[in-house]
């Protein structure tokens, strides 16, 4: 959970426009080399499916389609696959899954560059990375793939496209999801499509009638830890200490580690402090969106609303308390659950330094 919290939301200019990428593929045809990576694995696999359909319209065979395991890949195997002639199709496709570009150095990196710089016209080579992979632009292997091919970063989608996609998924199940229901689902269950699909199916099955409302989503959707922490801070802002403790107990029951919960609480407190400063200085929602890396308008509004329930100095101290608790967890050997409970008491009481 901590890793998810630390990832910054992509800026609008950095967010992938999947429709544009798909149209480019269909109009321009497959290129010889691709590097596919990013958290949004649903779109990554959708693009790979489109690429396969264009390269192998009649389906793959042992001559035209090669899928290689990146964990055991060697350059001789890759070179043989890339240079193998297609048999029953005009193009060949070689797919490499999970190759660790970080370990590709020296002679291996040179061999890789030699291969990708001279891919036959009839072949498409695609490197498919796991969702947690982030390319290191300093690595020679990464530079080679970007120099000779096309790197596509599959990011989470913006609020508009994601709401539209959710509504289409519900419509395919015979349901009409209201826009605020879709926004609530994003808030509660996250923004990655593969995580939303089972929630959409569960909500559709558990909702009577055609209409799906925000109340239906709140009743049925799984809450990711970040959403639970958001609820916890809202409870603290409302001085509902008992409710915050119940939410903390729920998070622990979900199997989340105290240090991971603390990381998300710390992130949320920093966001609330920034939002409170924005309220005090009349900086507006754009400041919160940019400073906190929040991409959805409804989350900016919620941060601003929740921040108004705290005093500015209390939030500044809450950020310090999170740092102090983090140090105590890592250095004293004290029980993490007890430290988290103590942290909530101090924040709820508005403890000052």
């Amino acid at each position: 959970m901590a890793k998810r919290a630390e990832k910054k939301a992509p800026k609008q200019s950095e967010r992938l426009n999947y429709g544009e990428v798909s149209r480019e593929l269909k109009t321009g045809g497959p290129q010889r080399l691709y590097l596919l990576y990013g958290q949004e694995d649903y779109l990554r696999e959708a693009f790979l499916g489109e690429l396969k359909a264009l390269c192998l319209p009649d389906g793959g065979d042992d001559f035209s389609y090669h899928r290689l395991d990146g964990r055991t890949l060697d350059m001789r195997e890759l070179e043989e696959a890339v240079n193998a002639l297609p048999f029953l199709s005009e193009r060949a496709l070689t797919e490499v899954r999970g190759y660790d570009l970080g370990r590709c150095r020296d002679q291996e990196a040179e061999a890789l560059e030699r291969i990708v710089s001279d891919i036959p016209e009839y072949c498409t080579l695609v490197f498919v990375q796991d969702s947690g992979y982030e390319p290191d632009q300093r690595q020679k292997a990464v530079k080679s793939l970007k120099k000779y091919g096309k790197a596509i970063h599959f990011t989470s989608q913006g609020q508009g496209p994601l709401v539209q996609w959710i509504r289409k998924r519900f419509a395919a199940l015979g349901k009409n999801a209201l826009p605020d229901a879709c926004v609530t689902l994003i808030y509660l269950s996250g923004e990655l499509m593969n995580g939303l699909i089972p929630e959409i199916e569960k909500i559709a099955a558990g909702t009577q009638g055609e209409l799906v409302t925000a109340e239906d989503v709140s009743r049925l959707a799984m809450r990711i830890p970040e959403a639970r922490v958001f609820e916890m801070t809202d409870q603290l802002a409302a001085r509902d200490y008992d409710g915050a403790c119940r939410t903390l107990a729920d998070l622990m029951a979900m199997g989340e580690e105290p240090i991971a919960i603390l990381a998300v609480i710390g992130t949320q407190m920093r966001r609330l402090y920034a939002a409170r400063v924005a309220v005090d200085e009349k900086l507006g929602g754009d400041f919160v969106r940019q400073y906190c890396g929040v991409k959805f308008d409804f989350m900016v509004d919620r941060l601003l609303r929740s921040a108004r329930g705290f005093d500015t100095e209390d939030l500044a101290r809450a950020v310090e308390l999170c740092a102090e608790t983090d140090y105590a967890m890592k250095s004293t050997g004290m029980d993490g659950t007890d430290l988290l409970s103590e942290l909530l008491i101090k924040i709820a009481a508005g403890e000052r330094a």
Side-chain angles (χ1 to χ4, degrees):
M1 182 176 68
K3 185 176 288 186
R4 290 198 300 269
E6 291 167 359
K7 283 187 176 292
K8 290 186 177 180
K11 298 177 182 178
Q12 184 67 37
S13 59
E14 297 172 346
R15 193 173 293 132
L16 178 75
N17 184 330
Y18 184 78
E20 184 177 305
V21 169
S22 178
R23 285 191 295 272
E24 181 183 317
L25 174 64
K26 291 171 182 174
T27 57
Q31 297 190 19
R32 298 187 196 184
L33 177 64
Y34 291 92
L35 171 62
L36 310 183
Y37 69 98
Q39 276 193 302
E40 188 46 87
D41 50 2
Y42 176 89
L43 291 180
R44 184 194 69 209
E45 296 303 317
F47 179 85
L48 183 61
E50 292 188 51
L51 187 62
K52 285 181 179 178
L54 287 173
C55 291
L56 310 168
D58 296 322
D61 56 63
D62 292 341
F63 297 95
S64 303
Y65 175 56
H66 307 273
R67 177 165 173 163
L68 306 180
D69 186 346
R71 295 170 299 179
T72 58
L73 182 72
D74 64 64
M75 291 300 107
R76 180 177 297 180
E77 177 188 26
L78 178 62
E79 187 170 23
E80 290 176 354
V82 166
N83 289 299
L85 289 167
F87 180 54
L88 297 176
S89 62
E90 294 184 1
R91 295 193 65 80
L93 176 67
T94 296
E95 174 188 342
V96 181
R97 285 267 177 177
Y99 178 60
D100 184 0
L101 293 167
R103 71 171 173 83
C104 182
R105 298 177 182 175
D106 302 329
Q107 291 183 342
E108 188 172 349
E110 291 175 5
L112 177 65
E113 182 170 16
R114 177 173 51 80
I115 294 168
V116 300
S117 67
D118 191 29
I119 298 173
E121 292 184 5
Y122 56 78
C123 178
T124 290
L125 171 60
V126 55
F127 286 83
V128 185
Q129 303 300 94
D130 297 333
S131 59
Y133 170 80
E134 290 289 341
D136 185 340
Q137 309 299 335
R138 300 167 298 177
Q139 293 170 350
K140 185 174 181 179
V142 174
K143 291 179 180 178
S144 296
L145 296 186
K146 297 188 77 171
K147 177 181 179 181
Y148 296 104
K150 184 177 181 63
I152 305 178
H153 182 195
F154 291 89
T155 63
S156 58
Q157 299 297 283
Q159 181 173 330
L162 196 51
V163 166
Q164 185 179 25
W165 177 82
I166 292 171
R167 297 196 75 184
K168 287 182 179 179
R169 297 289 304 198
F170 272 115
L173 299 171
K175 300 292 183 178
N176 176 22
L178 297 176
D180 64 336
C182 301
V183 167
T184 301
L185 180 59
I186 297 168
Y187 162 66
L188 293 178
S189 300
E191 64 209 47
L192 297 180
M193 293 175 172
N194 270 334
L196 290 172
I197 289 172
E199 297 307 309
I200 292 170
E201 293 173 348
K202 179 175 64 177
I203 294 165
T207 303
Q208 294 184 349
E210 179 184 347
L211 198 65
V212 175
T213 66
E215 289 74 19
D216 295 320
V217 174
S218 296
R219 176 172 53 89
L220 294 167
M222 178 200 72
R223 286 162 167 76
I224 59 173
E226 286 84 350
R228 302 309 305 268
V229 170
F230 222 136
E231 291 174 1
M232 185 192 301
T233 54
D234 280 352
Q235 289 159 342
L236 290 173
R239 303 296 186 264
D240 181 8
Y241 173 67
D242 290 340
C245 285
R246 286 194 296 271
T247 302
L248 175 60
D250 289 344
L251 282 165
M252 298 299 296
M254 291 166 64
E256 299 292 339
E257 294 294 329
I259 192 67
I261 297 173
L262 175 61
V264 181
I265 293 174
T267 298
Q268 186 66 1
M269 285 300 167
R270 290 191 294 274
R271 286 176 169 178
L272 285 170
Y273 176 68
R276 182 68 236 191
V277 170
V279 171
D280 294 341
E281 303 296 330
K282 297 180 174 56
L283 299 175
D286 286 342
F287 172 83
V288 178
R289 184 179 296 103
Q290 294 172 10
Y291 185 85
C292 299
V294 177
K295 62 177 131 339
F296 297 122
D297 293 340
F298 73 88
M299 291 187 71
V300 172
D301 294 340
R302 185 161 183 148
L303 275 171
L304 289 168
R305 184 171 63 251
S306 185
R308 291 187 177 94
F310 290 95
D311 181 85
T312 306
E313 292 184 18
D314 288 343
L315 283 172
R317 179 56 181 156
V319 172
E320 294 176 350
L321 287 169
C322 289
E324 292 170 6
T325 304
D326 180 77
Y327 178 79
M329 277 192 190
K330 294 174 180 176
S331 63
T332 66
M334 295 177 63
D335 183 79
T337 303
D338 291 341
L339 286 170
L340 281 177
S341 298
E342 183 179 342
L343 172 66
L344 293 190
I345 292 172
K346 291 178 178 178
I347 293 175
E351 178 187 291
R352 300 287 174 87

